[in-house]
Amino acid sequence: TVGTTVVNWTITDIYGNASTCSTTIIVTDDEQPVIDCPNDITQTADAGVCEALVTVPAMIATDNCAVATIVNDYNNTSDATDVYIVGTTVVNWTVTDVHGNISTCSTTIIVTDNEQPVIGCPNDITHTADAGVCEALVTVPAMIATDNCAVATIVNDYNNTSDATDVYIVGTTVVNWTITDIYGNTSTCSTTIIVTDNEQPVIDCPDDITQTADAGVCEALVTVPAMIATDNCAIATIVNDYNNTSDATDVYIVGTTIVNWTVTDIHGNISTCSTTIIVTDDEQPVIDCPDDITINTDLGSCNATVVSQPMVATDNCAVATIVNSYNNTSDASDSYPVGTTTVTWTVTDIHGNTITCDQLITVLEVELPTITCPADITVFSDLGNCNALINVPAPIANDNCGVASVINDYNNTSDATDVYPVGTTTVTWTVNDNNGNSAQCTMNITVIDNEQPTLDCPNDITQTADAGVCEALVTVPAMIATDNCDIATIVNDYNNTSDATDVYIVGTTVVNWTVTDIHGNISTCSTTIIVTDDEQPVIDCPNDVTQTADAGVCQAAIIVDPMVATDNCAVATIVNDYNNTNNASDVYPVGTTIVNWTVTEIHGNITTCSTTIIVTDDEQPVIDCPNDVTQTADAGVCEAAIIVEPMVATDNCAVATIVNDYNNTDNASD
């Protein structure tokens, strides 16, 4: 067809190597398109806007080959139907064919305007006066006015501006609006503004008051601060319900009084609050505590009968209760135990104020306790121990008041039953009565030891040789040996120490143990150590090889690194499966060859790995591309029949395909 066609050739050999070249075919066209321009149009603006949607007939254009583009300079498209503003618009058309030949023409669009403006007045407003003033800042919505072209002015008669938002006094105000468009047409309307006042007075109630009653009385003269009240207009009255005046300063009895305040403004709006008056009584009673008393116990008893003086108490108001801590009554006369008893007196007045004092009652006792010790004890040591658990009877102790404690000096408790060491232990008992009197006695406890030591030999061990050597560091558990008294020595015959952990060669080793206690008793046993060898050889496989085929052939001579192999004992054989030797260097064909290695040690343990040999062929075919062709299109059509020379191609191996991208064959003539 007319234009430039590049014919791209691709020649590929049997291994995918490709060569490319191009042949250029050029056919030319110089004929202009034929056009029929749309007629001029006159139209009225659409309702409510200063423009019109104008339908423009389509441009009619033809060309000997084909029209490429039709475009106008109003909306840069092939369709001039669009919205046009009021006035005259010239639309210029350009038609271009597929080979760049151009034709032009123009269409005139005229839009006219004959529409009147419209308005929407703000709604009436009722607004509460602003806080603290007798007026309000009223936000009036903007006047809504539209015109198909434009509004010239909007004005109200309240502040002679276009914005009626302003300060309005309490009452009713009528705001008149006038709207004029750019052609002198006017519209009018009115908005009514009503400002109301419903604000309550603002009050600052006197703070709550807590005050102590005046000295010697159950009331107080309380000074109450004045009520602070303000109003956006004016205050009419301030009154409290305690004395029905505006001044609450007065005499208040002990307790809590709620004073309620009422404040009324000149418009009858009311605010209320309360002040709490608390009068407290914190005056303590006055007391005269009974005297302390010291007395001996009654004959044959461990306590004493005590007669106490009464408590004397007075209070500025009145005493509510008198009580002592011993018998919770107002009379402390009672029976008291040996020792000193602190009797605490508490006097409380009718308002809860308290005062206390202490009276000491001391009862003396002088009788000593008696004690009889258990008999002496002799026993053998407990099995497995160098001591014995002995059950010791309790001593017999008595006292006229009562025994406070019986204690021994072995374990400092009242029970001498305990574990005693081998030998003789003297136990001393002490008895104490409740008043500090004491008495003592002694007894002997003898423990005899006749037991032999015991031991627990370490278990036999089987362990693999350490990596890389024909021996192993074997951790042998410690010998467990016990004796009812103590162990003297533990030794083995492998390293003559008490720790058999050591390096052992592959094979079987018998370790003999000897344990001796502090009395010369001996016990023996054996531990068998077996070390085995199961380690495989360690190899370093030759690296993979990627190499291009030798020039002019489909194979390559490859040098392969030697295999590196070691073993804790010794390596027996190294062989690969490509040439069954220990050297894989050889000639390899194009492609991928996996060489598998096998390494065997002298004990038959085997390790394997693989080396990948890749031989690539990147030699391109040799080609002789057909010459370029330039020829005029055949008469009456937009194309030409072209004869293209054949492609000549060779390759070191073989050419697989010859193809061009024009007709996907090996012949570009078409």
Side-chain angles (χ1 to χ4, degrees), residues 262-591:
T262 301
V263 179
T264 307
D265 69 8
I266 58 176
H267 297 133
N269 296 308
I270 296 174
S271 295
T272 62
C273 67
S274 299
T275 302
T276 300
I277 310 295
I278 301 173
V279 177
T280 62
D281 172 23
D282 57 4
E283 193 169 337
Q284 291 179 321
V286 177
I287 62 175
D288 183 8
C289 213
D291 293 336
D292 294 341
I293 298 172
T294 299
I295 192 171
N296 290 331
T297 57
D298 297 339
L299 184 62
S301 174
C302 202
N303 50 35
T305 301
V306 177
V307 177
S308 175
Q309 299 170 341
M311 167 65 73
V312 177
T314 60
D315 187 71
N316 63 320
C317 290
V319 173
T321 60
I322 299 174
V323 67
N324 72 79
S325 62
Y326 185 72
N327 58 17
N328 292 318
T329 71
S330 61
D331 183 4
S333 296
D334 211 324
S335 178
Y336 287 78
V338 170
T340 299
T341 300
T342 300
V343 179
T344 300
W345 293 89
T346 302
V347 178
T348 307
D349 69 10
I350 58 175
H351 296 131
N353 296 305
T354 63
I355 189 167
T356 63
C357 67
D358 291 334
Q359 177 188 14
L360 301 179
I361 309 293
T362 303
V363 177
L364 304 177
E365 190 266 327
V366 294
E367 260 183 82
L368 295 178
T370 62
I371 184 168
T372 302
C373 258
D376 293 343
I377 300 172
T378 299
V379 298
F380 289 111
S381 62
D382 295 340
L383 182 64
N385 294 303
C386 204
N387 49 38
L389 175 60
I390 299 177
N391 185 15
V392 181
I396 299 171
N398 291 292
D399 188 74
N400 64 318
C401 286
V403 173
S405 64
V406 177
I407 192 166
N408 70 83
D409 64 351
Y410 183 73
N411 59 16
N412 293 317
T413 70
S414 61
D415 183 3
T417 295
D418 209 329
V419 175
Y420 288 80
V422 171
T424 299
T425 302
T426 299
V427 178
T428 299
W429 292 91
T430 301
V431 59
N432 296 296
D433 68 11
N434 289 316
N435 301 308
N437 300 305
S438 64
Q440 290 184 335
C441 66
T442 60
M443 64 179 293
N444 292 322
I445 297 179
T446 302
V447 178
I448 300 171
D449 174 27
N450 61 355
E451 191 174 335
Q452 301 297 318
T454 61
L455 59 88
D456 182 7
C457 212
N459 292 331
D460 295 340
I461 298 172
T462 298
Q463 184 171 317
T464 304
D466 296 339
V469 294
C470 278
E471 60 190 15
L473 173 60
V474 179
T475 300
V476 181
M479 163 67 73
I480 299 173
T482 60
D483 188 74
N484 62 319
C485 288
D486 204 356
I487 297 297
T489 61
I490 299 174
V491 67
N492 72 79
D493 64 352
Y494 184 74
N495 58 16
N496 292 319
T497 71
S498 62
D499 183 3
T501 294
D502 211 327
V503 175
Y504 291 79
I505 61 173
V506 172
T508 300
T509 302
V510 177
V511 178
N512 298 302
W513 297 87
T514 301
V515 179
T516 307
D517 69 10
I518 60 176
H519 299 131
N521 297 306
I522 296 174
S523 294
T524 63
C525 66
S526 298
T527 301
T528 300
I529 311 295
I530 300 173
V531 178
T532 62
D533 174 23
D534 58 2
E535 188 172 341
Q536 292 178 319
V538 177
I539 64 175
D540 183 6
C541 214
N543 293 329
D544 295 341
V545 180
T546 298
Q547 185 171 317
T548 305
D550 297 339
V553 293
C554 283
Q555 62 187 19
I558 305 296
I559 302 299
V560 181
D561 296 336
M563 165 66 75
V564 177
T566 60
D567 188 71
N568 62 322
C569 292
V571 173
T573 60
I574 300 174
V575 67
N576 73 78
D577 64 351
Y578 184 72
N579 57 19
N580 291 318
T581 71
N582 63 358
N583 184 359
S585 295
D586 211 326
V587 174
Y588 289 80
V590 171

Side-chain angles (χ1 to χ4, degrees), residues 109-129:
I109 310 295
I110 300 172
V111 178
T112 62
D113 172 33
N114 60 0
E115 191 173 336
Q116 300 297 318
V118 296
I119 63 173
C121 212
N123 293 330
D124 294 340
I125 299 171
T126 297
H127 196 289
T128 304

Side-chain angles (χ1 to χ4, degrees), residues 29-334:
D29 169 33
D30 57 4
E31 190 172 339
Q32 290 181 322
V34 177
I35 63 176
D36 182 5
C37 215
N39 294 329
D40 296 340
I41 299 170
T42 297
Q43 184 172 319
T44 302
D46 296 339
V49 294
C50 211
E51 60 192 14
L53 174 60
V54 179
T55 301
V56 181
M59 164 67 74
I60 299 172
T62 60
D63 188 75
N64 64 320
C65 287
V67 172
T69 61
I70 300 174
V71 67
N72 70 80
D73 63 353
Y74 185 73
N75 58 15
N76 292 318
T77 69
S78 62
D79 182 3
T81 294
D82 209 327
V83 174
Y84 291 79
I85 61 174
V86 171
T88 300
T89 302
V90 177
V91 179
N92 298 302
W93 297 89
T94 300
V95 179
T96 306
D97 70 9
V98 293
H99 299 127
N101 298 304
I102 296 172
S103 295
T104 63
C105 67
S106 299
T107 300
T108 300
I109 310 295
I110 300 172
V111 178
T112 62
D113 172 33
N114 60 0
E115 191 173 336
Q116 300 297 318
V118 296
I119 63 173
C121 212
N123 293 330
D124 294 340
I125 299 171
T126 297
H127 196 289
T128 304
D130 295 339
V133 293
C134 278
E135 60 190 14
L137 173 60
V138 180
T139 300
V140 181
M143 165 65 73
I144 299 173
T146 59
D147 189 74
N148 63 320
C149 288
V151 173
T153 61
I154 299 174
V155 67
N156 71 79
D157 64 352
Y158 184 73
N159 58 16
N160 292 318
T161 70
S162 61
D163 182 5
T165 295
D166 210 327
V167 175
Y168 291 78
I169 63 173
V170 172
T172 300
T173 303
V174 177
V175 179
N176 297 302
W177 297 87
T178 300
I179 296 86
T180 306
D181 69 10
I182 59 176
Y183 298 113
N185 298 307
T186 63
S187 295
T188 63
C189 65
S190 298
T191 301
T192 300
I193 311 295
I194 300 172
V195 178
T196 62
D197 174 22
N198 60 358
E199 189 172 341
Q200 291 178 320
V202 176
I203 61 176
D204 183 5
C205 216
D207 292 338
D208 294 341
I209 299 171
T210 298
Q211 184 172 317
T212 304
D214 297 340
V217 293
C218 282
E219 61 189 16
L221 174 59
V222 180
T223 300
V224 182
M227 163 68 75
I228 299 172
T230 60
D231 189 71
N232 60 325
C233 292
I235 299 295
T237 60
I238 300 173
V239 66
N240 73 79
D241 65 351
Y242 184 72
N243 58 18
N244 293 318
T245 70
S246 61
D247 182 5
T249 296
D250 211 326
V251 175
Y252 291 79
I253 62 173
V254 171
T256 300
T257 302
I258 306 295
V259 178
N260 298 303
W261 297 87
T262 301
V263 179
T264 307
D265 69 8
I266 58 176
H267 297 133
N269 296 308
I270 296 174
S271 295
T272 62
C273 67
S274 299
T275 302
T276 300
I277 310 295
I278 301 173
V279 177
T280 62
D281 172 23
D282 57 4
E283 193 169 337
Q284 291 179 321
V286 177
I287 62 175
D288 183 8
C289 213
D291 293 336
D292 294 341
I293 298 172
T294 299
I295 192 171
N296 290 331
T297 57
D298 297 339
L299 184 62
S301 174
C302 202
N303 50 35
T305 301
V306 177
V307 177
S308 175
Q309 299 170 341
M311 167 65 73
V312 177
T314 60
D315 187 71
N316 63 320
C317 290
V319 173
T321 60
I322 299 174
V323 67
N324 72 79
S325 62
Y326 185 72
N327 58 17
N328 292 318
T329 71
S330 61
D331 183 4
S333 296
D334 211 324

